[in-house]
Amino acid sequence: MSKKILIISPKFPLPTTGACEQERMAGFLQLQRLGYEVRIISKIFDWQDKEAILAWGQKHGIIVDLIPYTRKSFFQRLAQVINPIYWDGAAYEYRLPATWRTVKKIAEEYAPDIAWFDYTYLYPLYNIFHEKRIPIITRSINVEPLHFLQEDGRSLPNLIKFLSKWYSELTSIRTSDYVFAITPKEEVLYRTLGAKRIATLPLRSLPGLVKKERKIKERDTLHLFFMGASYNVHHNRYAAEFVIKDIAPEVEKRAPGKFFFHILGKKLPQDLSKLCHGNIKEEGFVDDLDVFLREEVDGAVIPSLMGAGMQQKIFEPLVYGIPSVVSPRGIAGYPYQNGEHALFAETKDEFVEQILRLQDIGLRQTLSKNSLQLSQELFSQERFDAIVTQGVILV
């Protein structure tokens, strides 16, 4: 008999427009494809299409239980203010009685062999499964306290929230039976912080994106791109601003007419949008991103100025074999090497110099070939399946 896995996940990932949604959706289907019996408990916002989600579950033979996000009562808000542990608002959502009762009822009814939690801030529900001696696997998408501080800044209120989020993170990783970190860098940190058993499981959507080959074109003007799923996310906004205000103008000054920049993604702020002229074009949301990346562009320019975890905007070009100029911090411990698989840069001048090097078609061909080869090794579906299977066996 196959193991029964109860997945507890944040907002159900439909529509799958962002990297986080794509990652979790791939994880749901992977566990089922590996032969496990899967049931999902997930949150849902009012604006999401409940019927579409239930239809998805019916199509895939997966029971999906949806818990609506609700407004906190006055007393719940008061409790959150009084107790510093509750200042991590993401985690506090999973302390609310309605959520707790629903998860406990389903756990008793379903009697899973394993509880799989997507994201560390769901830890307030762990005791439900500890009491029943059901092992817990936690999938971390990033070290949330560090990500929060980088994204929102080091103000006094944020430092207080950071401590609360740090408590959440430590509790989660130390009380899980197995942890899947998302990068080698974060796996090392989690081991230091007390994770019992742990492995690196990269973005689970990547195996479906890895390409076998790429044709490098000789063109007078090279088309480069930057993309962010949404510019409401701070690290995407700041990186786009760096490209639009600093990098692209300097490249045009140094090599007039030789490079054209495309800015992809939803909700580019108006102050940046109005700067997209000359050698910069705002593309917005691209309906067929696969065709765009395969046919329309010659390179990627992806600065990573802040944020933790594994940023898909960096790795997606690499798995396509697109010659890329990236921030080394964004590589997060994966074995991509400067000058071999990609070109690394940190400052404006370094980005400009590395971009100018892309005029060498031989270099672009080398970067493309090497990044494809390494990506195929790192992000094959077979490798991901082995990583997940080992974790399930060990708990």
Side-chain angles (χ1 to χ4, degrees):
M1 182 180 292
S2 63
K3 285 190 175 182
K4 297 163 66 177
I5 299 180
L6 180 61
I7 302 172
I8 300 93
S9 188
K11 182 197 76 171
F12 196 88
L14 275 181
T16 53
T17 50
C20 292
E21 288 83 4
Q22 294 167 19
E23 203 275 337
R24 283 188 288 123
M25 180 64 77
F28 296 165
L29 297 176
Q30 179 192 27
L31 288 171
Q32 186 191 52
R33 182 176 46 75
L34 288 173
Y36 303 115
E37 182 183 324
V38 173
R39 183 166 177 173
I40 300 167
I41 302 175
S42 186
K43 288 279 188 173
I44 183 173
F45 283 103
D46 291 341
W47 55 262
Q48 288 182 274
D49 188 338
K50 181 177 180 180
E51 295 306 315
I53 293 171
L54 296 179
W56 177 92
Q58 188 172 27
K59 174 185 175 181
H60 293 282
I62 297 174
I63 297 175
V64 179
D65 300 283
L66 298 172
I67 304 174
Y69 285 97
T70 57
R71 293 178 62 87
K72 301 180 185 72
S73 70
F74 169 79
F75 292 105
Q76 288 167 346
R77 290 184 180 278
L78 181 62
Q80 188 174 6
V81 170
I82 293 172
N83 191 336
I85 292 175
Y86 296 170
W87 291 354
D88 180 358
Y92 186 63
E93 178 73 28
Y94 295 89
R95 294 183 182 276
L96 299 180
T99 300
W100 176 277
R101 286 194 299 268
T102 301
V103 174
K104 184 177 178 63
K105 179 176 181 294
I106 293 169
E108 291 172 348
E109 170 193 317
Y110 186 57
D113 298 298
I114 294 171
W116 178 297
F117 283 87
D118 277 327
Y119 303 0
T120 53
Y121 58 75
L122 280 68
Y123 82 91
L125 299 172
Y126 285 16
N127 280 343
I128 293 172
F129 300 94
H130 287 152
E131 290 174 358
K132 299 179 181 300
R133 299 185 181 276
I134 296 171
I136 290 172
I137 293 176
T138 298
R139 196 296 185 265
S140 168
I141 198 72
N142 56 43
V143 180
E144 176 61 23
L146 300 180
H147 181 77
F148 167 75
L149 212 56
Q150 291 174 29
E151 288 278 314
D152 288 53
R154 288 174 165 79
S155 64
L156 180 58
N158 284 351
L159 288 172
I160 295 171
K161 289 181 182 178
F162 165 81
L163 294 175
S164 177
K165 287 180 177 291
W166 196 248
Y167 173 83
S168 298
E169 202 78 10
L170 288 175
T171 302
S172 173
I173 63 170
R174 290 178 177 179
T175 59
S176 296
D177 296 279
Y178 205 93
V179 175
F180 285 118
I182 201 166
T183 68
K185 182 179 178 180
E186 294 191 356
E187 178 185 338
V188 171
L189 177 57
Y190 279 143
R191 285 186 185 278
T192 303
L193 294 175
K196 300 172 186 175
R197 287 176 289 189
I198 186 168
T200 296
L201 176 62
L203 283 165
R204 290 170 287 179
S205 52
L206 284 181
L209 299 175
V210 177
K211 305 305 176 189
K212 293 183 178 179
E213 59 184 3
R214 183 177 184 85
K215 183 178 179 181
I216 301 299
K217 303 172 184 177
E218 181 72 270
R219 293 206 271 199
D220 290 336
T221 299
L222 297 179
H223 288 256
L224 310 180
F225 76 95
F226 171 85
M227 65 177 173
S230 170
Y231 294 102
N232 289 332
V233 178
H234 290 172
H235 68 256
N236 286 337
R237 190 239 144 80
Y238 292 135
E241 182 175 3
F242 187 39
V243 173
I244 293 168
K245 288 186 175 181
D246 298 316
I247 296 173
E250 185 64 23
V251 168
E252 180 65 12
K253 190 183 299 183
R254 297 276 301 275
K258 294 298 183 181
F259 294 91
F260 193 91
F261 292 79
H262 301 263
I263 309 299
L264 282 62
K266 297 184 298 182
K267 300 179 181 178
L268 187 68
Q270 185 61 34
D271 65 310
L272 298 181
S273 180
K274 68 183 182 182
L275 298 176
C276 293
H277 53 77
N279 68 329
I280 310 171
K281 180 182 179 183
E282 179 187 354
E283 297 286 353
F285 180 80
V286 176
D287 289 330
D288 196 333
L289 182 61
D290 179 65
V291 170
F292 186 87
L293 297 184
R294 284 190 291 109
E295 304 293 339
E296 302 297 327
V297 295
D298 304 290
V301 180
I302 314 290
S304 174
L305 307 180
M306 61 181 67
M310 187 178 186
Q311 297 178 21
Q312 185 165 320
K313 65 178 182 285
I314 288 179
F315 289 90
E316 193 161 353
L318 293 173
V319 304
Y320 269 77
I322 297 172
S324 301
V325 183
V326 304
S327 302
R329 72 175 300 281
I331 297 298
Y334 285 100
Y336 292 88
Q337 300 298 316
N338 184 30
E340 183 178 353
H341 308 99
L343 300 179
F344 292 175
E346 295 183 85
T347 66
K348 180 186 82 170
D349 289 341
E350 288 176 357
F351 268 97
V352 172
E353 291 294 338
Q354 296 287 44
I355 288 169
L356 295 177
R357 291 182 64 195
L358 292 178
Q359 293 175 98
D360 181 347
I361 190 172
L363 175 60
R364 297 204 309 276
Q365 289 169 336
T366 297
L367 294 174
S368 178
K369 177 183 176 182
N370 291 342
S371 69
L372 280 175
Q373 183 178 357
L374 181 58
S375 297
Q376 289 163 7
E377 294 171 4
L378 292 175
F379 308 130
S380 71
Q381 190 63 66
E382 292 76 15
R383 188 166 187 268
F384 280 41
D385 289 350
I387 292 169
V388 169
T389 300
Q390 181 182 31
V392 171
I393 291 172
L394 287 177
V395 299

